[in-house]
């Protein structure tokens, strides 16, 4: 199978669910293996027209297996203007982060970045399996780097501030860059009121028009 094939979704889900590359693969030796058993968390969908491209699960999501099952998820659902029920309806939203497993903590107790093995291994196949996706919500710098490539600006703030450039000009699925909805970004939201005043209404209207 090439990276651009449209693989059978169930087979891809099963392959992702059993992936242990970050524990057993060749890179794990150099980077250090995951300090826990991998638990890939991703929602692939053949019907959802909105893809939430997040960063990587945190510890709580690692425990529950439910993406965005935390305070970040509550804020994201508020941004989207949807209930939990709609958010977890895979006919409405696909949820595919840049790293499918909780990456562990750094020395300061913050979540590590998504494992670098994950996107090169899975992302093209995941995207190819969901050709119906019309809107990609690229949350945080890792998703923005992958989905926007060289069109990304120098910083996450600049990229999000230029959201109209991507949202209105993109060929293929529309891409809307967003900051991470973590409480750690509450200060960012206060400093950048245009996000709430200008971007969020467009986001809500767009999502409302695309969910079934
Ligand atoms: S993070 Fe991705 S590549 Fe690593 S074990 Fe989990 S699913 Fe596999």
């Amino acid at each position: 199978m090439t990276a651009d094939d449209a693989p059978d979704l169930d087979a891809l889900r099963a392959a992702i669910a059993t992936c242990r590359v970050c524990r057993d693969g060749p890179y794990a030796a150099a980077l250090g293996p995951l300090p826990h058993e991998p638990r890939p968390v991703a929602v692939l969908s053949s019907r959802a027209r909105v893809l939430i491209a997040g960063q990587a699960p945190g510890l709580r999501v690692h425990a529950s297996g439910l993406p965005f099952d935390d305070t970040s998820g509550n804020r994201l659902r508020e941004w989207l203007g949807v209930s939990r029920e709609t958010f977890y309806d895979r006919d409405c939203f696909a949820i595919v982060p840049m790293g499918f497993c909780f990456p562990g903590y750094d020395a300061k107790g913050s979540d590590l970045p998504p494992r670098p093995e994950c996107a090169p291994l899975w992302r093209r196949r995941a995207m190819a399996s969901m050709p119906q996706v019309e809107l990609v919500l690229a949350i945080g710098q890792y998703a923005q780097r992958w989905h926007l490539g060289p069109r990304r600006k120098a910083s996450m703030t600049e990229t999000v501030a230029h959201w109209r450039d991507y949202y209105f000009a993109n060929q293929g699925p529309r891409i809307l860059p967003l900051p991470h909805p973590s409480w750690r970004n509450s200060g960012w939201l206060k400093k950048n009121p245009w996000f709430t005043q200008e971007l969020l209404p467009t986001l809500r209207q767009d999502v409302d028009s695309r969910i079934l």
Side-chain angles (χ1 to χ4, degrees), residues 114-166:
R115 289 291 294 208
E117 298 93 330
C118 204
L121 187 58
W122 294 115
R123 199 150 194 89
R124 283 197 189 285
R125 277 184 275 177
M127 293 304 294
S129 74
M130 301 185 294
Q132 82 287 350
V133 165
E134 297 169 352
L135 174 67
V136 176
L137 306 179
I139 297 177
Q141 58 166 318
Y142 298 99
Q144 289 161 16
R145 186 180 300 155
W146 201 91
H147 285 279
L148 293 173
R151 291 185 296 154
R152 190 175 67 118
K153 307 291 180 197
S155 69
M156 190 279 294
T157 298
E158 238 188 300
T159 302
V160 179
H162 283 81
W163 62 274
R164 291 180 181 84
D165 295 356
Y166 314 116

Side-chain angles (χ1 to χ4, degrees), residues 1-181:
M1 181 190 300
T2 70
D4 293 319
D5 285 341
D8 174 78
L9 212 51
D10 284 339
L12 183 56
R13 284 190 190 108
I16 290 171
T18 55
C19 179
R20 297 295 180 268
V21 161
C22 296
R23 185 191 65 188
D24 304 331
Y27 298 109
L31 290 171
L34 276 184
H36 46 261
E37 180 70 10
R39 184 179 192 180
V41 179
V43 178
L44 302 179
S45 169
S46 60
R47 286 168 59 84
R49 293 193 281 161
V50 183
L51 166 65
I52 297 171
Q55 190 156 304
L59 183 59
R60 180 167 166 167
V61 172
H62 174 69
S64 72
L66 200 58
F68 286 104
D69 183 26
D70 52 17
T71 51
S72 295
N74 293 340
R75 178 177 268 167
L76 180 58
R77 286 181 279 276
E78 190 191 317
W79 287 356
L80 299 171
V82 299
S83 65
R84 270 181 78 89
E85 188 187 3
T86 302
F87 184 83
Y88 290 117
D89 181 343
R90 76 177 186 203
D91 284 351
C92 296
F93 293 100
I95 306 174
V96 184
M98 298 308 296
F100 297 157
C101 298
F102 171 51
Y105 294 122
D106 66 17
K108 291 182 184 163
S110 299
D111 287 9
L112 285 165
R115 289 291 294 208
E117 298 93 330
C118 204
L121 187 58
W122 294 115
R123 199 150 194 89
R124 283 197 189 285
R125 277 184 275 177
M127 293 304 294
S129 74
M130 301 185 294
Q132 82 287 350
V133 165
E134 297 169 352
L135 174 67
V136 176
L137 306 179
I139 297 177
Q141 58 166 318
Y142 298 99
Q144 289 161 16
R145 186 180 300 155
W146 201 91
H147 285 279
L148 293 173
R151 291 185 296 154
R152 190 175 67 118
K153 307 291 180 197
S155 69
M156 190 279 294
T157 298
E158 238 188 300
T159 302
V160 179
H162 283 81
W163 62 274
R164 291 180 181 84
D165 295 356
Y166 314 116
Y167 181 72
F168 290 112
N170 189 56
Q171 302 285 318
R174 289 188 166 197
I175 298 174
L176 199 49
L178 302 175
H180 196 281

